[in-house]
């Protein structure tokens, strides 16, 4: 028990962090242990972390923050206003429940796709990006595999489901959807579609290197939340592209 059990969600934590900073900046009592715990938790959230001010990332404890704030502003009023102005857009963002536009679009498309398991995998990958980066990487790759298999099954294209690699699955799917680079003559399309193939191959490699699908040696490479964020977003974008293309061929 660390005395933070009353903080039930992200909004509570951000508001509490703001209050700790205001208290320290204006001569009040502020728990440095709480500050360090909450600060670390918030900075592991990829979206919110991007919005946090630089000075919060560099001041790892309240003593460091005190040295920073007392040199920056002489009065309590100025310090309060500085902290409130820094936190206000973050609090508004979290209160509104906003999401990255790409995430929302992918979520909508996958939820309307025929296979419930694919949307479930997407939801699990999003959920585990921070708490379990390795699992999120594995799930995102599996989700993309499922999208390819679903499309190939619907088109009655045979493949070895027990041993085929993601890169081969994508190659078959791309060919069926006229997305293979060699099926186009315009250089710009060949380049873009070749890039898509590279992304899929990279996802397979990332999963093999960093995901939890394979055992690792004495010095394992541990993925961070940013690696999982990259893998999940890339897999989601490619799944969206494949499903949108597939759906357009059925109209």
């Amino acid at each position: 028990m660390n005395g933070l059990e009353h903080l039930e969600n992200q909004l509570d934590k951000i508001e509490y962090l703001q209050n700790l900073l205001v208290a320290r900046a204006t001569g009040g009592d502020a728990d440095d242990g709480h500050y360090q715990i909450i600060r670390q938790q918030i900075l592991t959230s990829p979206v919110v972390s991007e919005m946090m001010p630089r000075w919060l990332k560099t001041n790892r404890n309240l003593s460091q923050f005190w040295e920073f704030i007392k040199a920056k502003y002489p009065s309590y009023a100025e310090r309060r206003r500085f902290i409130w102005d820094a936190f206000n857009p973050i609090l508004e963002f979290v209160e509104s429940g906003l999401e990255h536009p790409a995430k929302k679009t992918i979520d909508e498309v996958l939820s309307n796709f025929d296979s419930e398991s694919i949307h479930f995998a997407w939801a699990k990958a999003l959920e585990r990006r921070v708490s379990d980066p390795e699992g999120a990487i594995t799930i995102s790759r599996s989700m993309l595999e499922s999208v390819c298999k679903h499309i190939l099954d619907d088109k009655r294209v045979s493949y070895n489901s027990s041993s085929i690699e993601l890169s081969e699955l994508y190659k078959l799917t791309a060919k069926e959807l006229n997305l293979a680079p060699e099926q186009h003559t315009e250089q710009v399309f060949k380049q873009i579609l070749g890039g898509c193939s590279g992304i899929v191959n990279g996802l397979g490699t990332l999963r093999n290197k960093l995901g939890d699908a394979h055992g690792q040696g004495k010095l394992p490479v541990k993925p961070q939340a940013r690696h999982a964020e990259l893998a999940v977003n890339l897999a989601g974008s490619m799944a969206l592209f494949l499903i949108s293309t597939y759906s357009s061929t059925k109209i």
Side-chain angles (χ1 to χ4, degrees):
M1 306 290 283
N2 54 24
L4 298 172
E5 293 76 18
H6 62 290
L7 304 178
E8 298 180 353
N9 51 51
Q10 187 84 300
L11 180 61
D12 289 344
K13 293 177 182 178
I14 295 172
E15 287 182 331
Y16 185 62
L17 182 64
Q18 176 186 248
N19 293 339
L20 286 172
L21 290 166
V22 170
R24 185 66 184 92
T26 56
D29 293 329
D31 190 310
D32 187 55
H34 284 186
Y35 170 80
Q36 293 186 45
I37 292 171
I38 297 299
R39 172 185 170 277
Q40 185 59 39
Q41 289 178 354
I42 291 174
L43 291 181
T44 57
S45 173
V47 176
V48 176
S49 176
E50 292 176 4
M51 303 178 69
M52 284 294 171
R54 173 68 180 168
W55 54 263
L56 184 74
K57 298 177 180 179
T58 57
N59 292 298
R60 298 176 179 274
N61 55 57
L62 288 177
S63 294
Q64 292 177 349
F65 170 70
W66 170 246
E67 294 300 322
F68 162 78
I69 197 68
K70 74 176 183 179
K72 192 170 184 66
Y73 293 107
S75 72
Y76 285 177
E78 288 176 305
R79 294 172 188 175
R80 278 193 293 265
R81 177 53 55 193
F82 172 74
I83 296 169
W84 289 340
D85 287 346
F87 273 77
N88 188 56
I90 304 167
L91 289 168
E92 287 184 349
F93 177 85
V94 176
E95 283 178 331
S96 68
L98 291 174
E99 300 174 312
H100 282 320
K103 174 186 174 298
K104 184 177 180 181
T105 301
I106 294 168
D107 189 71
E108 289 173 350
V109 171
L110 291 182
S111 65
N112 292 324
F113 199 47
D114 291 342
S115 175
E116 289 185 8
S117 63
I118 292 173
H119 183 249
F120 178 77
W122 166 248
K124 292 299 292 183
L126 288 173
E127 180 183 305
R128 293 171 64 176
R129 286 172 299 176
V130 175
S131 62
D132 181 16
E134 293 171 279
I137 290 171
T138 299
I139 294 171
S140 62
R141 195 247 198 180
S142 298
M143 178 198 68
L144 191 52
E145 286 179 342
S146 295
V147 169
C148 290
K149 288 179 178 179
H150 185 97
I151 293 172
L152 292 174
D153 289 344
D154 195 58
K155 286 182 165 291
R156 302 185 186 280
V157 177
S158 61
Y159 57 90
N160 188 334
S161 60
S162 62
S163 62
I164 191 169
E165 291 291 329
L166 175 59
S167 58
E168 290 301 315
L169 264 177
Y170 177 78
K171 187 180 296 185
L172 283 174
T173 307
K175 185 176 181 180
E176 287 297 317
L177 298 178
N178 196 35
L179 296 176
E182 63 271 14
Q183 292 174 307
H184 296 264
T185 57
E186 288 287 342
Q187 183 59 34
V188 64
F189 290 122
K190 293 173 72 72
Q191 184 176 357
I192 291 172
L193 295 174
C196 290
S197 298
I199 288 174
V200 174
N201 292 339
L203 281 170
T205 302
L206 181 65
R207 187 254 195 160
N208 292 338
K209 293 290 185 182
L210 299 178
D212 61 6
H214 298 277
Q216 299 189 8
K218 293 177 65 176
L219 298 174
V221 179
K222 300 295 291 183
Q224 302 298 312
R226 65 181 184 276
H227 300 134
E229 182 84 4
L230 175 66
V232 171
N233 287 339
L234 286 174
S237 296
M238 287 307 304
L240 174 62
F241 178 51
L242 290 174
I243 292 170
S244 298
T245 304
Y246 170 63
S247 298
S248 69
T249 65
K250 299 177 67 176
I251 298 175

